[in-house]
């Protein structure tokens, strides 16, 4: 397995259709990056949940998942499950985010995600972030849509445990869901860790990479 680093990494964009998407899909990666690079700028956009208890949860959670970072979070009020009917608003929000940030890395949903909101947002990202490294995170759910990842971020056991603890601590509105538990989160992280010779990992889809092998 080849290990590639991003080189200079000063700014990250993280987007989610719903509050908790970013933390579930890439919370361990955010913790790893922010702890390694104090002062990292993280511009986050969530399309739904604005003005509700879910926005409060998201703000507290992402602050915890991005320790020492310069976090800028926007939470909109698009209706959950209806992104395809609000396409123009979602696209405008992504374009506005692009105008505010020129990131070294974009964390977004996968285009193969079965949830229409996740999939729709994933398809919008490359229309705005055309020359950026985009990693599509995965979210385990009943649809059975987990695929074969192409990129992995190993997580230390401490980071994996911290991710689960923060998910349980901050998203109280989701704890009643049958899939929202320690076994699910750590179980997937363990499987992805096996696939990349680590104890735990988060996995991503990288749809397009530009190589610079001549230097």
């Amino acid at each position: 397995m080849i290990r590639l680093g991003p080189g200079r990494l000063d700014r990250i964009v993280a987007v989610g259709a719903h509050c908790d998407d970013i933390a579930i899909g890439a919370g361990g990666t955010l913790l790893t990056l922010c702890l390694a690079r104090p002062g990292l700028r993280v511009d986050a956009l969530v399309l739904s949940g604005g003005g509700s208890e879910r926005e409060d949860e998201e703000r507290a959670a992402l602050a915890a998942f991005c320790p020492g970072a310069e976090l800028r979070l926007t939470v909109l009020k698009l209706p959950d499950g209806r992104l395809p009917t609000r396409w123009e608003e979602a696209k405008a929000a992504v374009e506005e985010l692009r105008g505010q940030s020129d990131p070294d890395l974009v964390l977004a949903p996968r285009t193969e995600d079965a949830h229409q909101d996740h999939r729709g947002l994933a398809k919008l990202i490359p229309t705005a972030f055309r020359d950026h490294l985009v990693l599509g995170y995965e979210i385990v759910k009943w649809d059975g849509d987990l695929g074969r990842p192409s990129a992995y971020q190993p997580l230390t056991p401490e980071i994996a445990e911290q991710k689960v603890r923060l998910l349980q601590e901050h998203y109280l509105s989701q704890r009643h869901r049958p899939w929202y538990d320690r076994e699910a989160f750590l179980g997937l992280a363990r499987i992805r860790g096996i696939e990349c010779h680590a104890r735990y990992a988060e996995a991503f889809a990288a749809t397009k990479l530009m190589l610079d092998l001549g230097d």
Side-chain angles (χ1 to χ4, degrees):
M1 177 171 290
I2 298 174
R3 291 180 176 265
L4 298 176
R8 178 178 176 182
L9 202 161
D10 298 319
R11 292 189 174 191
I12 296 175
V13 158
V15 297
H18 316 102
C19 296
D20 79 14
D21 284 355
I22 296 170
I24 291 174
T29 297
L30 284 175
L31 282 167
T32 299
L33 290 172
C34 291
L35 289 171
R37 295 172 172 84
L40 181 70
R41 175 169 165 177
V42 179
D43 291 291
L45 170 67
V46 178
L47 296 182
S48 64
S52 70
E53 67 170 342
R54 299 221 61 198
E55 178 177 356
D56 296 335
E57 289 178 344
E58 186 75 341
R59 292 192 177 280
L62 288 190
F65 274 103
C66 300
E70 179 187 349
L71 174 64
R72 302 184 184 185
L73 170 61
T74 300
V75 183
L76 302 182
K77 298 181 179 181
L78 273 63
D80 186 352
R82 299 291 185 270
L83 187 149
T85 69
R86 307 290 286 271
W87 188 258
E88 290 300 324
E89 293 173 72
K91 183 173 177 60
V94 171
E95 294 284 356
E96 182 177 355
L97 177 63
R98 172 64 183 93
Q100 298 171 350
S101 181
D102 185 20
D104 304 301
L105 171 64
V106 180
L107 300 171
R110 299 178 305 126
T111 55
E112 299 84 4
D113 196 298
H115 193 295
Q116 67 270 22
D117 291 354
H118 301 172
R119 186 172 64 251
L121 176 56
K123 291 180 178 179
L124 280 174
I125 293 303
T127 69
F129 296 92
R130 295 180 178 271
D131 300 309
H132 301 80
L133 174 60
V134 179
L135 296 180
Y137 56 73
E138 58 184 354
I139 296 178
V140 64
K141 50 188 176 300
W142 74 272
D143 303 86
D145 61 355
L146 296 178
R148 186 174 183 179
S150 54
Y152 297 84
Q153 171 59 53
L155 306 178
T156 66
E158 293 77 15
I159 289 292
E161 291 284 356
Q162 186 177 2
K163 173 184 175 176
V164 173
R165 179 178 59 79
L166 292 177
L167 286 172
Q168 294 286 351
E169 178 181 328
H170 288 286
Y171 295 106
L172 299 180
S173 66
Q174 304 303 299
R175 291 179 64 177
H176 69 283
R177 299 185 182 277
W179 54 268
Y180 198 93
D181 61 30
R182 171 187 172 83
E183 288 180 308
F185 298 134
L186 275 186
L188 180 58
R190 180 69 184 109
I191 291 171
R192 296 317 190 196
I194 291 171
E195 294 172 349
C196 68
H197 301 297
R199 182 65 185 174
Y200 298 106
E202 286 177 338
F204 302 89
T207 55
K208 184 182 290 187
L209 294 173
M210 184 173 70
L211 303 177
D212 185 6
L213 303 178
D215 292 338

